[in-house]
Structures are given as C-alpha cells and as structure tokens.
Amino acid sequence: MMTTLRALVIAFSMYSQIPMPQFTWQDKEMKYAFCFFPWVGAAIGGITMFWWWFCGKFSVGNVAFAMIGSSISGVTYVSVPGMVAGSSFGYLQMVLGFVAGQLIIAFVLTPLFYRMNLVSIYEYLENRFGMSSYRTGAWFFFISKMLGAAVRLFLVCLTLQLLVFEPFGLPFILNVAITVALVWLYTFRGGVKSLIWTDSLKTFCLVVSVVLCISYIASDLNLSLSSMISTIADSDMSRIFFFDDVNSKQYFFKQFFAGAFTMIAMTGLDQDMMQRNLSCKNFKDSQKNMITSVISQFFVILLFLMLGVLLYIFAGNQGIQVEKSDELFPLIATGNYFPAIVGILFIIGLISSAYSAAGSALTALTTSFTVDILGTKGRTEEEIVKIRKRVHIGMAAIMGITIFVFNLLNNTSVIDAVYILASYTYGPILGLFAFGIFMKQQVRDKYIPLVAILSPILCFILQKNSEAWFNGYQFSYELLIFNALFTFIGLCLLIRKDKN
C-alpha cells in the first residue's frame, strides 16, 4: 500500500506542479509511477472543470479572470517582488484596502452606472453638474491613464533594454518606439470583448509563470513546500502589519485607507476598468465578477511577495547585489542562475502582463478622448471611425514620448511612482464623484476646472512640508484622500444659493 501511495506522489511530482511531499525515490516505487500518469491528467482536468462549473454556477465569467491581468501589469510583475526588502509584506495592507474599495465599487457605483445606462462613466458628471465637470473628469482621466500606462510600459522597456537592446548597442528611444508600435498593433482591432478574452489568456500565462518560477527557485534552494513556507514566514521580510509608528509611510491605516480609495479611483472611476464591468449582462453579474477578481488578486500578489523573499534569499547566498529593487527579478531570472525555462517564463509573464495593461489603456484613452473630449454627437459613423484611427495613433505617440521623458526624470521604484502619480491625478475625479453622490446641491459648474487644478497643487505643498508642519509626519499614498477632500471642499464653496 505504501509503495502504491509513493508511486502516486512520484507521478504527480514528475508530471505536474501540484505540491507533493518530498522523500527519497526508490526504483521499486518509480517502476509504477507511470501507471498513475492518467491520474495526473484527471486531477488537472478536474480542477479545470470545477473552475468552469464555478463560473457557470455563480455567473462568474471571463471578466473576473481578465480583470486580474488588467489590474496586474509589468509593474506588479517586476516591482512587487523587489519591494519586500524595503517594505516587507506591508503592501498586503494596501491590498486589503483594495478588497474594501472593490466592495464599495460593486455595491455603490456599479448599480448607479447600470441604472443610468452610461456609455462613458464621465457622462454622470455631465448629468449631475454640467459640461465643465464632464470635460474636467475626462481630461483628468486622460492624464491619469496616460501617465499610469506610460510608467507601466516604461518598466518593460527598461527590462528589454537591459536584456536585449543594450547588448546590441541599440538606444533606448528605439526600444520605446518598437514597444509602443507593438502595443498599437495589439489594439488596432477589437473592442472590450476582445480585450477581455485576451486578458484571460494573459492572466493564465502570468499566474502559471510565477508559480513555476517559485517552484524552480525553491527547488534550487532545496526547500520542500513546508520548509519554503517556514523559511518565508521566519524571514524579517514577511512582516505584514505595521501599527507602531503613525509617522511611517508603512503605518497600517495609511496603507489600508489609501488602498481602498485608490481602488475606488483607479477602478471604479476609471473608464478602462469599468468598461469591463459594464460589459456584463446586469449589475449583479458585474458585482460577482468584481468580488471574485479582487479576492483572486490578493492571492496572486501574495505569490509575488513570496517570490520576492525567495529571490532575496537566493541573491544573498549567491552574493548578488542590485542597485535598484526593480532589477532583482530580471537579473536573477535571466542571469543563467536557473534553467533557461525560468528566463523564458519571466519574459512571457512580463510581456503578457505589460501588453495586456498597456493595450487596454491605449484603447480606453482612444475611446475617452474621442467620445468625451472631441465629442461624437452629430457625426456620422464613418467620421467617428476616421477620428478614432487618428486619435489611436496620437495616443500611441504621446505614450512613447511620456515613457522617454519618464526615463530621464525617474529616481524611484516604478510601483511607487504609479501610486504617487495616482494620488495627484485621480484625487479630483474621486472628489467630484463623491460630491455628486453624497450631496444634493448644484454648483457653479464653470469654476470646477479651477478647483480640480488647485487641489493637487495644495497636496504638493502639503506633502513637501508635512514633516516640518506635523511633527515628522510623512504622507504616503493617502495623499489621494486629501486631494479628493480638497476637491470636495472646493465644490462646497461653489454651491449655488439660487434654485434656478
């Protein structure tokens, strides 16, 4: 009986990545291992069938799975493993905030948008306040999405420069031009539905590549599943919660509330992400997709953080040093420290996550600029198609220029840059929607652009002087909340006294 069980374990160890107990393989046990090969296929097939049954039973479709890939870009793939040295598992505090924020989106914003039958979510601002608010929201979305997408794609260009272009003596600007051109081709045809199916495939590649990378690294470190978990848990880099210093950027409530409001702003008030949710048949299906996707995202990010600890342990054993944390995963994955498959999986995961996020962002930017800023009312379908094609090329060109400029100016980790930029650009959008939903009064619409511009300026002044003014307090990503609050207060000052 024991021989049979050991042969079964050997079969799963050889032909799958399902974690199995480790022991010394004997010839007698290996002799029968191949007999259990069909069992491996049956187990994997059973897991796959269960997933599709779950999706059908609870109306959780491809949108939920796709949104994991669209939420996790090349920034997550490269920056999150590297950040554990500086912030441990503290990022999970923010991810817990993501879960809370997604629940608010699911049960507050989504029913509202479905009820109003919106093509663009910024139409809500026009209906609630007026055309100036609508244009302001559209412009801030354009700025936010362009900067965010460019920064995410910048990391891919940086990695490709290190691995491909620099060894051949090719300049960074050529790298950017080729990468942006490929993204443009990626999104030249197809709409939201095609992006959802593409993102589903990309999500699968990303998750599988991370799991396999963890498996190979743990194997090289001679760690079984249980010893790997123990090693990660015992590491100083695995600390999750930080309650001891309110002035620290890692303080729990800073991270949690920043995560909640960042999720609301970057997903719930983002034309790109909400297009996926609004493509569902009804808001209940959309709610199920959002809840499923954010829970799945939590565990995927946990995998990235676990990978980060293993990478630093391996780097310490090998005497590997990196100047920037973003370089850790690319350097080890492609540095001939592991079998070639690890480097291949790294490239597949990086490109799949980056092209998915950048491609969908480029499509959303094209749609938003065409519909919300240029306007389509009174135009024929043929005219709109021509405008979209020109705007699509223009968005790709602006993205390329932004990446090149960011390369000249950046001096921080990319994931930090993404959330810092979001704190400034998404704050006015969050403040506008918050006022529109929770307040009933009308405001003087023509002054709203001024309020939306002044709020980030006030936040910049506050951030630069916070340590001197507030006894060493350092702002983290919760600056987004203050940005929205300033916008909200500014709108309160614009409340119209008359009823006409």
Side-chain angles (χ1 to χ4, degrees), residues 55-94:
C55 291
K57 181 71 174 177
F58 297 100
S59 300
V60 179
N62 291 304
V63 176
F65 197 56
M67 285 188 69
I68 302 172
S70 60
S71 301
I72 298 174
S73 66
V75 174
T76 307
Y77 197 73
V78 174
S79 280
V80 170
M83 73 189 301
V84 296
S87 58
S88 304
F89 276 26
Y91 185 49
L92 283 180
Q93 299 176 126
M94 193 169 183

Side-chain angles (χ1 to χ4, degrees), residues 139-149 152 421-422 425-426 429:
W139 271 108
F140 268 90
F141 166 76
F142 170 76
I143 295 169
S144 303
K145 200 67 179 179
M146 178 59 74
L147 290 174
R152 289 175 173 89
L421 289 172
T425 58
Y426 277 100
I429 300 176

Side-chain angles (χ1 to χ4, degrees), residues 76 90 96 100 121 154 187 194 236 249 285 323 363 372 410 417 424 426 486:
T76 307
L96 288 173
I121 63 172
F154 160 77
T187 57
S194 63
D236 293 336
K249 292 184 176 182
D285 285 351
E323 295 182 5
T363 300
D372 299 326
N410 180 53
Y424 282 101
Y426 277 100
F486 289 148

Side-chain angles (χ1 to χ4, degrees), residues 63 66-67 69-71 114 145 192-193 195-196 199 270-280 286 289 356-357 359-361 364:
V63 176
M67 285 188 69
S70 60
S71 301
Y114 266 94
K145 200 67 179 179
V192 176
K193 296 291 185 181
L195 283 172
I196 289 172
D199 279 347
D270 185 290
Q271 178 70 13
D272 176 23
M273 301 298 290
M274 286 306 290
Q275 272 185 323
R276 290 173 165 79
N277 292 324
L278 297 177
S279 68
C280 297
S286 182
N289 280 320
S356 170
S360 59

